[in-house]
Amino acid sequence: MRGEDTHQRLQAVNGSLQARLEETARSSAEHGGESKDLTYFLVDVKNGSRFPLRGYRLIIGRSNVNHIEVKDSSVSRVHAVITLEDGQYFLDDLGSSNGTFLNGSPVIRRQPLSDRDTIRLGESIFTFVQRTRTANREETKKLLHL
């Protein structure tokens, strides 16, 4: 039953984002899309795992149906979403039980992300990183003090 609830909730989230994502895709195509010189990803502060941000949305939560599965009991099954609109990434909470925090402040509505922003979901902490494609893993580790 819980798996069905999670699946239905994820479908609802995907459906509500679809129109916005289609508009973003059209707008990005008109403006040349994402910069070829930049790459974006989340870094798990605890273990250094990197999650590249590709496409127009990334759903984060405890369920294995998410783009990033977070093994943390304080994280909701479908917790937060990162979307790309007009070349800018945004973070939004998806009605999670324990909230989503950006740089220590609760995310009440969609917030823009900037390089080195800290995202907290439950006990899990991620850093949003924007790097040139030529920046290597060692430079990223130095930046994040890993």
Side-chain angles (χ1 to χ4, degrees), residues 45-74:
V45 171
K46 286 184 183 177
N47 63 26
S49 296
R50 293 166 35 140
F51 302 95
L53 301 182
R54 296 188 180 112
Y56 295 100
R57 78 172 173 269
L58 179 76
I59 299 175
I60 308 167
R62 200 175 69 236
S63 173
N64 64 3
V65 300
N66 295 302
H67 297 99
I68 295 179
E69 179 184 359
V70 180
K71 296 182 186 230
D72 177 345
S73 62
S74 62

Side-chain angles (χ1 to χ4, degrees), residues 8-25:
Q8 288 173 344
R9 187 165 180 208
L10 188 57
Q11 283 181 323
V13 168
N14 284 337
S16 68
L17 292 173
Q18 191 62 39
R20 194 171 3 158
L21 296 173
E22 288 172 4
E23 178 59 33
T24 299

Side-chain angles (χ1 to χ4, degrees), residues 27-39:
S27 177
S28 291
E30 291 169 5
H31 294 96
E34 196 174 337
S35 171
K36 302 287 187 228
D37 297 330
L38 296 175
T39 185

Side-chain angles (χ1 to χ4, degrees), residues 9-134:
R9 187 165 180 208
L10 188 57
Q11 283 181 323
V13 168
N14 284 337
S16 68
L17 292 173
Q18 191 62 39
R20 194 171 3 158
L21 296 173
E22 288 172 4
E23 178 59 33
T24 299
R26 281 191 296 275
S27 177
S28 291
E30 291 169 5
H31 294 96
E34 196 174 337
S35 171
K36 302 287 187 228
D37 297 330
L38 296 175
T39 185
Y40 302 88
F41 49 94
L42 291 182
V43 176
D44 184 323
V45 171
K46 286 184 183 177
N47 63 26
S49 296
R50 293 166 35 140
F51 302 95
L53 301 182
R54 296 188 180 112
Y56 295 100
R57 78 172 173 269
L58 179 76
I59 299 175
I60 308 167
R62 200 175 69 236
S63 173
N64 64 3
V65 300
N66 295 302
H67 297 99
I68 295 179
E69 179 184 359
V70 180
K71 296 182 186 230
D72 177 345
S73 62
S74 62
V75 172
S76 295
R77 286 186 288 279
V78 180
H79 196 106
V81 63
I82 294 176
T83 55
L84 174 65
E85 291 188 28
D86 297 325
Q88 170 69 55
Y89 280 99
F90 293 90
L91 174 67
D92 204 357
D93 184 79
L94 295 174
S96 65
S97 299
N98 294 319
T100 300
F101 295 82
L102 179 61
N103 300 320
S105 298
V107 174
I108 307 296
R109 62 180 152 288
R110 189 172 71 128
Q111 295 294 313
L113 290 170
S114 298
D115 188 34
R116 297 189 226 176
D117 276 349
T118 300
I119 299 167
R120 182 170 61 83
L121 313 163
E123 298 298 317
S124 299
I125 301 171
F126 298 89
T127 300
F128 176 80
V129 180
Q130 171 186 315
R131 285 285 151 259
T132 62
R133 293 201 188 273
T134 57

